Amino acid sequence: MDKSKLGLIHIYTGNGKGKTTAALGLILRASGRGLKVVLGQFLKGRETGELRTLALLPGVTVFRGKPLTKFSFQMNEQEKAEVLKIHNAFIQELASHCRKEETDLLVLDEVIGACGTHLLDESLLIDFLKHKPEHLEVVMTGRNPSPELLELADYVSEICKRKHPFDRGIPAREGIEK
Ligand code: ATP
Ligand code: MG
């Protein structure tokens, strides 16, 4: 396939369900065409169902940050500083992997949320996007992207919540939300 057409930047954002699942759908398609895919997961706690399936897909490598046990608003300043340091190193690790190993699609799941909660230095992400390998396609997910990230993106898809069962007390279900 002609990989010279690759190199665009995608954002899946909004308050509705489906940002991560949309990114996973793109991984499925890319893997089917023989693309080399890297998924980096930010702000992740427990194991999710997709990790088991992704391990079965050809050409897909998953990098997980250090699993977090707290939301950002539950962390004290020292905990936040530690996570920031870990995430800053994580984005550099992903960037250097994509420069060294053949990578066609890089999915940065919840990277936008990590920036928004100051658990990742957004300038590192922006610097990477501006100097990324020319034919590397990049997907980012998360709520409330900054104007700078929106400006750099070629696709911005917003998933708007009209209804969500969480609002009537139905918590995340295995196989659907996790
Ligand atoms: P998914 O992983 O299901 O595609 P998402 O990536 O769009 O969801 P996130 O903002 O990453 O959503 O949400 C983290 C968790 O909260 C997921 O389990 C997700 O399914 C769930 N979720 C998403 N949107 C809502 C909402 N509006 N209310 C409650 N829970 C939500
Ligand atoms: Mg998500």
Side-chain angles (χ1 to χ4, degrees):
M1 78 160 265
D2 182 6
K3 293 185 176 179
S4 69
K5 293 198 174 107
L6 299 177
L8 301 185
I9 298 175
H10 310 229
I11 288 179
Y12 293 129
T13 190
N15 63 355
K17 171 190 165 53
K19 300 172 287 295
T20 298
T21 39
L24 293 169
L26 201 63
I27 292 176
L28 198 62
R29 178 175 289 162
S31 170
R33 292 290 187 193
L35 299 189
K36 296 274 181 268
V37 179
V38 169
L39 166 64
Q41 291 188 305
F42 291 77
L43 299 181
K44 285 284 153 159
R46 49 185 161 35
E47 204 212 359
T48 48
E50 60 262 31
L51 291 174
R52 300 178 183 191
T53 321
L54 289 168
L56 305 172
L57 295 182
V60 178
T61 310
V62 179
F63 286 78
R64 300 197 79 212
K66 186 168 173 273
L68 301 182
T69 50
K70 290 181 179 177
F71 291 107
S72 66
F73 59 83
Q74 297 167 324
M75 294 176 196
N76 64 34
E77 290 311 309
Q78 193 196 335
E79 287 168 327
K80 279 190 199 168
E82 276 164 23
V83 176
L84 174 69
K85 218 170 125 188
I86 289 167
H87 276 161
N88 286 351
F90 189 46
I91 188 92
Q92 314 268 39
E93 182 191 355
L94 289 164
S96 96
H97 176 93
C98 293
R99 288 196 189 95
K100 280 193 291 216
E101 306 291 327
E102 186 190 352
T103 309
D104 304 306
L105 173 66
L106 171 66
V107 176
L108 300 171
D109 188 33
E110 263 310 342
V111 75
I112 297 172
C115 291
T117 50
H118 305 288
L119 295 176
L120 171 68
D121 215 329
E122 187 170 287
S123 63
L124 293 176
L125 174 62
I126 287 176
D127 190 63
F128 167 67
L129 293 171
K130 285 185 174 165
H131 303 105
K132 71 174 183 61
E134 189 183 355
H135 299 300
L136 176 67
E137 194 94 3
V138 179
V139 175
M140 300 180 282
T141 81
R143 298 179 189 200
N144 304 318
S146 68
E148 291 79 8
L149 288 177
L150 290 170
E151 174 71 28
L152 284 168
D154 299 285
Y155 299 78
V156 178
S157 301
E158 184 166 353
I159 299 176
C160 161
K161 182 191 80 165
R162 296 276 190 93
K163 294 172 88 173
H164 195 295
F166 186 78
D167 296 340
R168 47 189 181 94
I170 300 179
R173 294 166 303 147
E174 252 181 40
I176 307 296
E177 274 93 18
K178 60 188 182 181

